[in-house]
Amino acid sequence: MTTTSIPSDRKIVLVSWASKGLSAAGHSAEYAELDVTHPSGVHASAEGALACHRCIDVLVNNAGVMSLAPLAALSVAEWHQIIDVNLRGVLHGIAAVLPSMQERRSGHVVTIAFTAAHRVDPTAAVYCATKYALRALSEGLHFVGAGGGPDGLVVPQGPELI
């Protein structure tokens, strides 16, 4: 894990890729390059942040892959990769941080779903399906946080909204 100084009164955020850009721009940030399809790496990254900072206030799920092909192309191996990264990767991140957030009864899981969570493109149906699933998953996190614990938020960010 690459480390820069973070004051103790600052929120701790575990983010994919965005932290690397923040550090390069001169801001205080930490990042770890990892493959979200491997739960052990995601858990190790979260455990490292917890060991160093005692808590993770926010997890931002931003990993994703997309293959452009109509369903009729039957690109089953690509479908598996899209699901493994876009959906299972998010689940691995949630599994890594949720127990500590529940223990503290505080925390946020922010998932970047893009506008694909609200529409289906003919050559990106599987990608869009994973983003729809992320919307449902984030809504499910609201039930976890209903008693004052961690909460989920889905962000429909994309080029159409800029």
Side-chain angles (χ1 to χ4, degrees), residues 6-12 53-55 57:
I6 296 178
S8 61
D9 64 335
R10 294 296 204 182
K11 294 242 180 228
I12 306 304
H53 302 288
R54 300 181 313 278
C55 69
D57 294 306

Side-chain angles (χ1 to χ4, degrees), residues 119-144:
R119 69 168 201 281
V120 178
D121 294 327
T123 59
V126 176
Y127 174 82
C128 293
T130 63
K131 299 306 179 174
Y132 270 77
L134 294 179
R135 276 180 48 204
L137 187 59
S138 291
E139 287 182 30
L141 279 170
H142 285 294
F143 297 113
V144 173

Side-chain angles (χ1 to χ4, degrees), residues 9 37 48 66 68 95 100 108 115 127 145 151:
D9 64 335
T37 65
M66 176 170 56
L68 296 176
S100 69
H108 301 281
T115 56
Y127 174 82
D151 200 4

Side-chain angles (χ1 to χ4, degrees), residues 20-37:
K20 188 174 185 178
L22 289 171
S23 292
H27 300 284
S28 178
E30 294 183 16
Y31 66 93
E33 294 184 20
L34 54 99
D35 182 346
V36 297
T37 65

Side-chain angles (χ1 to χ4, degrees), residues 15-17 34-37 60-65 82 85-87 89-90 111-112 114 127 130-131 134:
V15 186
S16 64
W17 292 107
L34 54 99
D35 182 346
V36 297
T37 65
V60 179
N61 289 305
N62 192 33
V65 295
I82 292 167
V85 172
N86 298 5
L87 184 55
V90 169
T111 300
I112 310 299
F114 295 95
Y127 174 82
T130 63
K131 299 306 179 174
L134 294 179

Side-chain angles (χ1 to χ4, degrees), residues 114-115 119 156-162:
F114 295 95
T115 56
R119 69 168 201 281
Q157 175 186 334
E160 299 84 357
L161 300 178
I162 295 175

